[in-house]
Amino acid sequence: MGRTPSFDAPVVVTAARDLFWDRGFEAASLADLERVTGLNRSSLYHAFGSKRGLFDAAVADYLETVIRPRLRPLLAESAGRAALLAYYGDLSLAVASLPDDSPRRGCLLVNCAAGLAGHDDPARKVVDDYRAELTAALRNALAGAAAEIAPGTDAGAAVLDERARTLAALSMSVMLLARVNRDESLALLATAADQVRSWHP
């Protein structure tokens, strides 16, 4: 019979998530993970199988607690222009309010894309799945916005796809820049909101 873990797994995963978010997978050492989680190497390996197993748990947690709650309003049946503008407003608030030394600047997945995902197929798939999920959520809200502006008018699938890809690319760029240049990141968020306001079906 296996031992019951004597630690709070969600707390451990959150601590590891913040370290990976700040430093990336490769730069987060086992010693760093031991320090932030309060667990020794043996306990981490017993609970998660490997450093990668802990990273995968951290990414799953990030998707469920950070990304999907943020995308949920864009996926609502009633989503439209207001949901898009609220999404960009919420991102602006998040970027503007985090101190420069916060481990939560930017996006864990975008930060991972430049390192681990460049040479790791499972990580690449997670990042690309996130991009697709973000694009689909934006497209849903864009379709709702088009219906609000001109009911009964078809904006056209190609136009909606192009706009959703454009907004997704801006959103991912914003999260990368949030770690480097907060002002430019905020300017890009304003540009995305301006695009939403200017587009017509």
Side-chain angles (χ1 to χ4, degrees):
M1 180 186 326
R3 289 187 311 151
T4 302
S6 59
F7 60 88
D8 187 342
V11 170
V12 166
V13 169
T14 299
R17 181 195 72 197
D18 285 353
L19 180 67
F20 289 128
W21 196 340
D22 186 35
R23 296 196 183 162
F25 175 79
E26 289 147 338
S29 71
L30 282 171
D32 292 332
L33 288 165
E34 287 177 309
R35 180 181 47 77
V36 299
T37 63
L39 297 178
N40 64 35
R41 198 170 300 221
S42 166
S43 295
L44 288 171
Y45 275 92
H46 180 72
F48 300 99
S50 64
K51 176 183 168 184
R52 179 53 186 268
L54 180 55
F55 177 75
D56 291 343
V59 167
D61 175 74
Y62 180 74
L63 287 167
E64 291 305 317
T65 62
V66 176
I67 295 297
R68 293 194 176 115
R70 192 171 276 156
L71 295 182
R72 197 168 290 124
L74 298 173
L75 292 165
E77 195 172 315
S78 61
R81 185 177 287 204
L84 286 161
L85 293 174
Y87 171 77
Y88 286 109
D90 291 346
L91 281 181
S92 293
L93 182 61
V95 168
S97 66
L98 286 174
D100 288 339
D101 63 349
S102 172
R104 295 181 177 188
R105 290 174 302 131
C107 169
L108 170 65
L109 298 174
V110 172
N111 297 348
C112 163
L116 181 64
H119 56 82
D120 181 279
D121 287 339
R124 185 178 300 118
K125 181 174 178 358
V126 168
V127 172
D128 195 47
D129 287 351
Y130 160 62
R131 180 207 50 78
E133 190 172 348
L134 172 62
T135 303
L138 291 166
R139 189 189 191 289
N140 181 69
L142 284 165
E148 292 167 357
I149 295 167
T153 304
D154 182 10
V159 169
L160 290 174
D161 289 344
E162 176 185 313
R163 290 176 179 177
R165 280 194 305 276
T166 299
L167 290 178
L170 277 171
S171 300
M172 292 180 81
S173 297
V174 158
M175 300 318 322
L176 182 61
L177 278 173
R179 296 185 64 81
V180 178
N181 184 330
R182 180 193 322 254
D183 292 339
E184 186 61 22
S185 180
L186 291 169
L188 271 179
L189 284 165
T191 297
D194 288 345
Q195 288 295 312
V196 169
R197 288 185 195 95
S198 71
W199 281 334
H200 300 286

